Amino acid sequence: MPKITRNTFDKVMIPCYKPFNCLIVKGKGSYLFDSCGNKYVDFTGGIAVNSLGHCNKGVQNVIKKQSKKLIHASNIFTNISTLTLAVKLTGHTDFSKVFFVNSGAEANEAALKLARRVAFNLYGETKDEIISFGHSFHGRTLFSVSVGGQDKYSDGFGPKPGAITHLPFNDIETFKKHISDKTCAVILEPIQGEGGIIEANPEFLKTVRELCTSHNALLIFDEVQTGVGRCGSFYAYQDMNVVPDILTSAKGLASGIPIGAVLTSDKIAKHFTPGTHGSTFGGNPLACAVGSYVVDTISKESFLNNVKEKGITLKQSLEKLKHKYGVFKEIRGKGLLLGAELNENLKDKAGEIQQICAKYGLFILTAGHGVLRFAPALNIKNKTIEEGIKLLDKALAEFTQD
């Protein structure tokens, strides 16, 4: 067996990714460590996945305990772990039915299929249009990536699924003119993540909800990135006075263990009859056991209030750097999903800044066109936020000297 190094990636992995020039070997809390012994402050949270940080002790204990009982059983049975998480999710939301999958893309795929099936059953095959929005991102399956509003991710893979329309985000008048009785579903992110941390306008959401109802179209909220405490409420919709018909969740739901979920009502769920959809690993007992622990931890009011407070702290720190270096146009987002948009003349420099940050021991994300994205663990300590901001300060100092 040859020694595993960063170069091993280039030899054996399909090159869909371009990882940093280091090999991560360990994580603890909001820190990562590479094979050379270097320590990094992690402001990525596994792309908003490690909601309780790396190798959280509570998560470890649940994995250890559940792995001694039942790891996988398949959906020809049901089990206590899966049902427990379903009960907890319905108890903390406005929904009554849950379908489990393994990722955000699968959750959106299932939600879109469900919406199409509801429309087909109730109104016939001509009611099939799905409306999505520019700069949106809903996954990498052919269906979900085609629904997403970024052609760079969907072009070049042959014919795309039909009856999908992309409209400008937050444009009320255009939406009013387009939605019709042929529309079966509208899907949107309360805050566009990959698109650049763009918040949905409250009046836009209200209008979308009203028109979906009047045209018998289902409203789907993609909360893969905004959900499970990320924005300071358990799900972002709960702070927006709009309730969708279907909600999708994933990423932080099991703090690093792959899981996804579709939440909806009894009225809508009944259209997914036995055999219409499925998932071999969906509802995996191990993932659901961890998910239950995560839900119990994050749903507490005190925990969510801390997320809001830490989000304010991080946002204020980014605002200070904005004024100090003059490289940011705007700081936006909610809770611990924040974006720093670069000035127009620096839009193509986000990746360069990301690399300089890594050199100083800070991992950050990028999003959209020219946006630095921050999605650290929800239980990150204030001193770690301060440490990360100091490293970002150093990185921006170097960047502005060039």
Side-chain angles (χ1 to χ4, degrees):
M1 179 71 185
K3 181 180 179 181
I4 301 297
T5 67
R6 165 60 182 82
N7 291 335
T8 306
F9 176 93
D10 301 322
K11 295 179 180 179
V12 301
M13 298 293 291
I14 292 175
C16 287
Y17 309 114
K18 191 177 179 181
F20 287 128
N21 191 29
C22 61
L23 186 66
I24 297 300
V25 296
K26 185 173 69 172
K28 183 64 178 176
S30 291
Y31 296 95
L32 286 167
F33 303 84
D34 68 18
S35 57
C36 296
N38 297 310
K39 179 181 179 181
Y40 303 86
V41 173
D42 182 17
F43 273 5
T44 76
I47 313 182
V49 168
N50 299 106
S51 50
L52 299 180
H54 297 283
C55 300
N56 177 271
K57 286 186 177 180
V59 171
Q60 289 184 52
N61 290 336
V62 173
I63 291 173
K64 183 178 180 180
K65 185 177 179 180
Q66 182 62 35
S67 67
K68 293 180 179 180
K69 295 180 179 179
L70 186 66
I71 294 176
H72 179 73
S74 95
N75 286 305
I76 64 169
F77 311 104
T78 190
N79 66 86
I80 292 173
S81 295
T82 304
L83 298 179
T84 298
L85 178 56
V87 168
K88 290 179 178 179
L89 286 173
T90 55
H92 287 294
T93 65
D94 293 86
F95 307 100
S96 55
K97 286 291 193 290
V98 183
F99 181 82
F100 289 113
V101 289
N102 313 288
S103 68
E106 289 180 49
N108 285 328
E109 183 94 7
L112 293 164
K113 283 182 66 179
L114 176 57
R116 281 257 176 95
R117 178 51 65 103
V118 171
F120 179 85
N121 287 348
L122 297 180
Y123 307 103
E125 61 184 17
T126 60
K127 188 178 179 65
D128 61 359
E129 182 194 38
I130 294 168
I131 294 178
S132 180
F133 298 94
H135 304 295
S136 63
F137 183 85
H138 300 296
R140 297 280 193 168
T141 64
L142 187 58
F143 191 11
S144 63
V145 80
S146 298
V147 171
Q150 301 186 63
D151 289 341
K152 64 182 180 180
Y153 293 129
S154 58
D155 285 348
F157 295 100
K160 300 177 185 179
I164 299 169
T165 301
H166 296 101
L167 301 178
F169 194 51
N170 282 328
D171 187 333
I172 295 175
E173 293 307 313
T174 299
F175 183 77
K176 284 181 178 179
K177 292 176 182 177
H178 188 87
I179 189 171
S180 72
D181 288 340
K182 290 185 177 181
T183 306
C184 73
V186 176
I187 185 170
L188 61 83
E189 302 157 88
I191 300 177
Q192 292 187 334
E194 301 291 333
I197 317 301
I198 304 169
E199 295 184 54
N201 182 286
E203 191 61 32
F204 175 72
L205 287 181
K206 179 183 176 183
T207 301
V208 170
R209 173 67 280 177
E210 291 173 350
L211 290 176
C212 280
T213 301
S214 65
H215 287 284
N216 294 310
L218 298 183
L219 176 56
I220 304 170
F221 269 20
D222 175 347
E223 291 231 35
V224 168
Q225 191 158 173
T226 58
V228 198
R230 176 56 54 185
C231 296
S233 53
F234 189 57
Y235 281 103
Y237 87 88
Q238 294 168 320
D239 205 26
M240 295 179 169
N241 297 315
V242 171
V243 180
D245 299 297
I246 303 174
L247 180 143
T248 58
S249 183
K251 285 193 179 290
L253 184 54
S255 196
I257 302 298
I259 192 172
V262 179
L263 286 73
T264 192
S265 65
D266 292 276
K267 183 180 178 181
I268 295 169
K270 69 181 182 181
H271 292 273
F272 255 5
T273 53
T276 55
H277 196 58
S279 172
T280 297
F281 290 100
N284 177 276
L286 182 64
C288 287
V290 177
S292 285
Y293 174 77
V294 171
V295 169
D296 286 344
T297 303
I298 290 177
S299 63
K300 294 176 182 176
E301 186 176 357
S302 58
F303 188 97
L304 292 171
N305 286 336
N306 278 331
V307 172
K308 291 177 183 177
E309 291 171 5
K310 289 170 183 175
I312 291 171
T313 297
L314 180 55
K315 199 169 191 177
Q316 289 175 340
S317 298
L318 292 171
E319 288 284 358
K320 290 179 180 178
L321 294 179
K322 172 179 178 283
H323 293 297
K324 183 175 181 179
Y325 292 104
V327 298
F328 299 143
K329 178 181 178 181
E330 181 184 15
I331 309 299
R332 55 183 181 244
K334 293 180 68 174
L336 286 170
L337 181 60
L338 301 176
E341 182 182 6
L342 295 170
N343 292 332
E344 290 297 328
N345 63 322
L346 299 174
K347 287 286 190 179
D348 60 346
K349 301 294 185 180
E352 181 181 335
I353 294 174
Q354 184 186 39
Q355 291 292 334
I356 297 173
C357 284
K359 185 178 74 172
Y360 281 98
L362 173 67
F363 287 148
I364 63 171
L365 299 164
T366 61
H369 180 54
V371 177
L372 305 183
R373 179 173 31 154
F374 305 86
L378 302 182
N379 58 353
I380 188 172
K381 295 179 180 178
N382 285 326
K383 66 177 183 179
T384 310
I385 293 177
E386 183 179 348
E387 183 181 354
I389 288 296
K390 288 180 179 178
L391 296 172
L392 179 58
D393 192 335
K394 292 181 179 180
L396 292 176
E398 177 178 325
F399 175 73
T400 53
Q401 286 174 358
D402 292 344

